[in-house]
Amino acid sequence: MLLRIDHVGIACRSLEEAIERYSSVFGLATSGESSYVQLLEPLGDDTPVGRFLARRGEGIHHVGYAVADVVSALETIGGRGVRLIDRRPRHGSMGASIAFLHPADLGGVLTELVQPRGVRET
């Protein structure tokens, strides 16, 4: 069901500073290809990333896994007793369909299912 790690979401207070840090330390460039690091700066204090930063500070926010069919994955995973934050997919970055799973049922890890644009189950 899971195809690969799509991305790791990292909460940061300053997107500009985080991009500079990841570029200079690791040589990473901004890209939407293959697996990637997604840097998340909050749009406000009362947003999911803003609340995360207030509680925990900068760090890993979530792990996103690529799936061929996010609707099917939600049905299967929900049927296995994992609580779904999103019961239906929503629009994600780069045209993907996404849905989140409750971290309390997955060892404290907020998990995102990502059906990249153009990927369909075969």
Side-chain angles (χ1 to χ4, degrees):
M1 175 186 336
L2 301 180
L3 303 175
R4 63 179 168 77
I5 293 177
D6 183 77
H7 67 277
V8 175
I10 300 177
C12 58
R13 297 191 192 287
S14 167
L15 186 57
E16 184 176 318
E17 290 175 13
I19 290 170
E20 173 59 31
R21 181 171 51 248
Y22 278 83
S23 296
S24 65
V25 173
F26 300 112
L28 296 180
T30 54
S31 170
E33 309 227 355
S34 192
S35 298
Y36 62 96
V37 173
Q38 183 182 57
L39 300 172
L40 306 165
E41 180 181 33
L43 297 175
D45 292 338
D46 195 29
T47 62
V49 176
R51 291 188 297 272
F52 177 91
L53 285 169
R55 282 191 316 273
R56 299 184 183 173
E58 293 185 314
I60 294 176
H61 180 265
H62 69 274
V63 176
Y65 294 95
V67 296
D69 183 340
V70 70
V71 172
S72 176
L74 284 170
E75 290 172 2
T76 300
I77 293 168
R80 293 178 179 162
V82 173
R83 285 176 280 176
L84 309 176
I85 292 174
D86 298 305
R87 296 204 171 280
R88 295 185 335 206
R90 55 180 151 137
H91 177 73
S93 62
M94 296 185 286
S97 293
I98 65 166
F100 283 92
L101 309 175
H102 202 288
D105 294 340
L106 296 166
V109 178
L110 179 60
T111 301
E112 180 182 7
L113 302 175
V114 180
Q115 180 179 326
R117 182 181 62 205
V119 172
R120 296 289 178 256
E121 190 171 82
T122 56

